[in-house]
Amino acid sequence: MESLTFHSDSLGATEDFLNLNYTKMRIGNSTGVPVRTNITRNLLGPVSLDELELSFDMKYDAQPLGKICLCQVTTGMIEENYVDGTTAYFQAGDIGLLTPPDLPYSGVVHHARYSITMFDPALLNQVAASTPDRDLEPIRLTGHRPVSPAAARHLSNVLEHMRGLAVDRTVSEQPLVASTAAQYLAASVLHALPSTAHADPTARDRNDAHPETVRRALAYLESHVRDDITVADIAAAAYVTVRALQLAFRRHLDSTPMAYLRRLRLRGAHEQLRDCSPEDGHTVTSIAAEWGFAHPGRFATAYRDAYGRFPHTTLQA
């Protein structure tokens, strides 16, 4: 886990920090009230989770960020101006895409406390139902607001969960936890925000959803169960699209590729619990995290459903 903190009452120091840690920008104090800036950042794998509090109205003019940047406002308001001449207002309780990753942006942060969550846009392609051709057009988000109130609530819950993981050293330093959480975040963004991703299988996808696709995918999963892999990696190993892979798993296993991978990892955690001892310093939480299970309660429930007892019973035995 990595983190940083910044506290300043200097406009110049604030601008230097933003240039170093975000993108090149110019800022100003549009009201003349005293400047006070507080910023904290925690990292969870490839995702940065920042909390910002500005006591003044900060006007900014910034170069492209190069990241998917989700914004969630707690107090105050953010006025965001886009290159097409439109303006969006993010007020307390709002959540959405602050700015397109490849375009410059400007606006005013009006005495606000808010969070921003950033990750590489390529992560969207890794979890989307796109073809395995790496040269195709990258998936783009086409709107700033969630498609429904329910989608906004789901995305907000996911971000809250990510922030909890990021500050929990027990789980955040486990590579599988970080990668699984990042993939879940990207998938949740595609669910919540309008994009160019297509979810419906094509005729070719339906033709490719045969048992041989499942066999190739299972062989890949068995040999990479402890690796940081995405659904796109599994589809590429099976020589089909993500859509075809998902359809094949539904048809022949009544499951999904990632759900099957979680079952394999649950089995691995079970074997490790069986072979380890608390006297050696092992705990249920640490073993679960090694296998990508970040939430001890959910892990215990899944383990009990699969093996008929709680994981601490297996470890103590």
Side-chain angles (χ1 to χ4, degrees):
M1 177 178 65
E2 298 182 39
S3 62
L4 61 83
T5 60
F6 175 78
H7 309 287
S8 179
D9 58 3
S10 165
L11 188 66
T14 298
E15 182 176 272
D16 290 342
F17 179 86
L18 296 175
N19 274 269
L20 179 63
N21 292 282
Y22 294 91
T23 187
K24 186 177 180 180
M25 67 176 69
R26 297 292 304 273
I27 69 171
N29 184 352
S30 65
T31 59
V33 301
V35 170
R36 187 172 66 251
T37 305
N38 297 302
I39 302 174
T40 61
R41 168 177 291 176
N42 289 299
L43 297 180
L44 184 61
V47 181
S48 66
L49 300 113
D50 299 3
E51 301 285 342
L52 302 92
E53 184 175 8
L54 306 181
S55 68
F56 63 106
D57 284 6
M58 187 187 80
K59 187 176 181 179
Y60 58 90
D61 191 349
Q63 295 301 306
L65 192 58
K67 301 280 188 180
I68 299 297
C69 182
L70 305 173
C71 176
Q72 193 168 20
V73 179
T74 303
T75 63
M77 182 179 69
I78 299 177
E79 175 185 342
E80 182 81 356
N81 303 317
Y82 301 114
V83 294
D84 63 0
T86 61
T87 300
Y89 297 92
F90 293 87
Q91 303 184 61
D94 287 348
I95 186 171
L97 179 70
L98 182 64
T99 179
D102 56 343
L103 296 176
Y105 59 105
S106 63
V108 182
V109 178
H110 294 277
H111 199 102
R113 181 160 60 91
Y114 60 105
S115 66
I116 57 175
T117 303
M118 299 184 297
F119 60 89
D120 193 315
L123 190 57
L124 297 178
N125 280 73
Q126 293 178 20
V127 302
S130 58
T131 70
D133 186 347
R134 306 300 186 187
D135 296 327
L136 289 183
E137 187 75 17
I139 289 171
R140 294 181 297 101
L141 300 179
T142 57
H144 304 289
R145 305 288 185 177
V147 296
S148 69
R153 288 192 297 271
H154 173 74
L155 184 57
S156 178
N157 291 336
V158 171
L159 293 179
E160 182 179 0
H161 182 56
M162 296 283 291
R163 287 190 287 269
L165 292 178
V167 299
D168 186 344
R169 187 177 296 274
T170 303
V171 297
S172 65
E173 293 181 344
Q174 295 294 336
L176 286 184
V177 168
S179 64
T180 301
Q183 292 173 41
Y184 182 52
L185 172 61
S188 298
V189 169
L190 289 177
H191 169 74
L193 296 172
S195 74
T196 58
H198 301 290
D200 296 332
T202 65
R204 179 179 175 181
D205 293 331
R206 289 189 285 271
N207 289 334
D208 285 343
H210 47 65
E212 181 62 19
T213 291
V214 175
R215 187 195 66 78
R216 289 194 295 262
L218 294 184
Y220 180 82
L221 288 172
E222 291 281 358
S223 60
H224 293 81
V225 65
R226 299 202 68 165
D227 295 340
D228 176 9
I229 59 175
T230 68
V231 68
D233 296 323
I234 306 168
Y239 308 111
V240 296
T241 69
V242 172
R243 288 185 296 264
L245 179 74
Q246 292 168 334
L247 182 57
F249 268 66
R250 286 198 300 270
R251 279 182 180 174
H252 305 292
L253 298 178
D254 193 24
S255 182
T256 68
M258 300 312 289
Y260 195 92
L261 178 59
R262 285 192 294 273
R263 283 162 50 190
L264 293 179
R265 288 174 174 168
L266 185 65
R267 185 184 69 187
H270 166 67
E271 293 172 354
Q272 189 171 347
L273 287 165
R274 186 188 58 199
D275 296 339
C276 291
S277 167
E279 285 73 22
D280 298 328
H282 296 285
T283 67
V284 170
T285 298
S286 64
I287 291 173
E290 281 187 49
W291 289 92
F293 297 95
H295 195 288
R298 295 193 187 105
F299 171 73
T301 299
Y303 186 91
R304 183 190 59 188
D305 291 344
Y307 297 101
R309 58 186 181 275
F310 284 105
H312 71 266
T313 304
T314 301
L315 180 62
Q316 291 170 353

